[in-house]
Amino acid sequence: RIWCIYEAYLAVECGSTVYTAVSPLKCEARRVVAGLVIAVLGFATGYLALPLGVEVDHAIWIVIWCMCVLTQLLARYPRVSLVINGVGWFFCTLAPPWFYRWNYYHLPNHGSVGDTIWSGGVWILFALYFLASEVDRLRVIRNYSEARQLKSGYSGVFDAQASVEEDKLRILQAIGGGGGQLRWASP
């Protein structure tokens, strides 16, 4: 609609900051269930790995740090980010029970409360990082979807419609040569 374009044009010309509405993130039950299943599997794996004689402390740290770096490098690829966030979440839930059991069996006096709190706090921060990364991934998907919808059928200011043709002509005259400068920003 021509009036919407004109209002945006006037706001920009007056130096105003233009805010647009965005749709809310969809928190589907299947995503929540998938996250909980991954967490339970990670926790169970971490709890059961020690009796099997699996020593994973350095490998866990390396995997987590690699996943953190990869989330930043591959943030524009939602499907790849989903896998990275899932693997990161799995290892974040695997680590606390494994480190707790390792401290219990290998440190004098079964490890200190400080050791347990420190390692648990670090893993909670990593888990929150991957949770935030997943929210960012969902926002990227939403932004691409909204950009596609906005661009769908957009042919420019001069093809905009108005219920009163005289209004359209006055608006186009007010915009002048600036009408060609109004374009959609790509995400």
Side-chain angles (χ1 to χ4, degrees), residues 62-77:
I62 291 169
V63 168
I64 292 295
W65 281 110
C66 287
M67 294 296 109
C68 289
V69 170
L70 287 174
T71 58
Q72 296 303 309
L73 294 176
L74 301 171
R76 294 180 67 81
Y77 303 100

Side-chain angles (χ1 to χ4, degrees), residues 25 40 42 57 69 73-74 76-77 79 86 101 107 161:
L25 288 178
V40 168
D57 57 342
V69 170
L73 294 176
L74 301 171
R76 294 180 67 81
Y77 303 100
R79 289 186 178 142
R101 290 177 60 85
L107 294 180
Q161 298 175 0

Side-chain angles (χ1 to χ4, degrees), residues 6-120:
Y6 188 55
E7 288 173 358
Y9 171 79
L10 289 177
V12 171
E13 285 294 310
C14 293
S16 298
T17 303
V18 178
Y19 295 99
T20 58
V22 295
S23 59
L25 288 178
K26 296 177 184 174
C27 184
E28 297 173 0
R30 66 186 171 102
R31 289 183 177 142
V32 173
V33 170
L36 291 174
V37 167
I38 291 172
V40 168
L41 289 174
F43 195 86
T45 302
Y47 187 79
L48 298 173
L50 185 64
L52 300 173
V54 178
E55 297 289 332
V56 294
D57 57 342
H58 295 298
I60 290 175
W61 284 107
I62 291 169
V63 168
I64 292 295
W65 281 110
C66 287
M67 294 296 109
C68 289
V69 170
L70 287 174
T71 58
Q72 296 303 309
L73 294 176
L74 301 171
R76 294 180 67 81
Y77 303 100
R79 289 186 178 142
V80 175
S81 293
L82 173 63
V83 172
I84 293 169
N85 291 338
V87 171
W89 182 254
F90 175 80
F91 277 97
C92 285
T93 56
L94 173 144
W98 188 88
F99 279 109
Y100 174 77
R101 290 177 60 85
W102 190 90
N103 288 345
Y104 185 82
Y105 288 115
H106 292 90
L107 294 180
N109 299 325
H110 306 300
S112 68
V113 174
D115 290 336
T116 303
I117 291 172
W118 167 251
S119 65

Side-chain angles (χ1 to χ4, degrees), residues 101-171:
R101 290 177 60 85
W102 190 90
N103 288 345
Y104 185 82
Y105 288 115
H106 292 90
L107 294 180
N109 299 325
H110 306 300
S112 68
V113 174
D115 290 336
T116 303
I117 291 172
W118 167 251
S119 65
V122 167
W123 292 110
I124 288 172
L125 290 176
F126 276 124
L128 290 175
Y129 173 84
F130 287 107
L131 181 64
S133 181
E134 182 61 15
V135 170
D136 285 344
R137 185 188 75 82
L138 294 174
R139 285 185 177 153
V140 165
I141 291 170
R142 179 193 62 198
N143 291 345
Y144 279 134
S145 173
E146 288 177 357
R148 265 194 318 276
Q149 289 174 359
L150 286 172
K151 291 177 184 178
S152 175
Y154 178 75
S155 59
V157 173
F158 298 107
D159 291 333
Q161 298 175 0
S163 55
V164 178
E165 190 63 28
E166 293 169 359
D167 289 343
K168 178 179 178 178
L169 295 174
R170 278 195 301 259
I171 290 171

